[in-house]
Amino acid sequence: MANDVKTRYSDKELEEFKVLIQGKIEKAKEQLELIKSSYKNDSTNGTDDTSPTFKAFDEGSKVMSKEANSQLAIRQEKFIRDLKNALIRIENKSYGVCRVTGKLINPERLKLVPHATLSIEAKNMQK
């Protein structure tokens, strides 16, 4: 074969990425549950009997904490969605193909960022 350029990952390689991604989804779901439970349990923290000044400060801190947790939860949900989309690309055998260049994304990049849809080359072109 004169043109020896790979256009997609083999089924065996795709299976390895699938296992990696499923593990990351499980871990991400656990982290999301922790974020949500800390958000729900962030009620009084035992400060009911403290001075009004501290209580006002504590209320502000609680609001900040809830906003931060909310942002973390949203980011985690997006990460899970991106990983699930990567699983769909594995099923379609289009996983690991850069959506800009059409070339295969470096497997080392995919191990670090398994939901990546852009090669480093394409990402650098965006800058």
Side-chain angles (χ1 to χ4, degrees):
M1 225 198 281
N3 191 354
D4 219 14
V5 178
K6 269 174 72 169
T7 56
R8 76 171 190 87
Y9 284 103
S10 71
D11 291 351
K12 183 177 183 284
E13 291 166 317
L14 289 175
E15 189 58 36
E16 289 170 12
F17 284 122
K18 184 177 183 177
V19 170
L20 174 84
I21 291 169
Q22 287 170 331
K24 286 197 180 276
I25 289 173
E26 285 311 306
K27 207 173 262 182
K29 282 181 177 177
E30 287 169 17
Q31 290 171 342
L32 180 60
E33 284 310 307
L34 283 174
I35 293 166
K36 284 182 174 178
S37 70
S38 76
Y39 178 83
K40 289 174 188 163
N41 296 334
D42 196 15
S43 52
T44 64
N45 290 333
T47 57
D48 289 339
D49 58 351
T50 57
S51 72
T53 309
F54 181 76
K55 213 169 172 157
F57 173 75
D58 188 46
E59 286 299 314
S61 155
K62 238 186 265 180
V63 169
M64 289 292 287
S65 169
K66 284 188 176 186
E67 284 177 13
N69 273 349
S70 176
Q71 287 302 315
L72 276 175
I74 289 167
R75 232 185 0 251
Q76 199 67 3
E77 285 169 345
K78 182 186 180 314
F79 180 54
I80 292 168
R81 190 173 58 245
D82 289 346
L83 289 170
K84 286 181 176 178
N85 286 337
L87 287 178
I88 292 168
R89 290 193 302 279
I90 286 175
E91 293 305 313
N92 296 339
K93 300 189 188 309
S94 64
Y95 178 79
V97 178
C98 176
R99 61 186 164 88
V100 172
T101 66
K103 297 175 184 170
L104 285 184
I105 298 170
N106 183 312
E108 294 308 310
R109 172 167 167 68
L110 290 172
K111 285 177 187 162
L112 293 172
V113 187
H115 56 290
T117 59
L118 294 174
S119 63
I120 293 294
E121 177 187 351
K123 230 171 146 48
N124 288 338
M125 290 191 305
Q126 289 183 333
K127 292 180 182 174

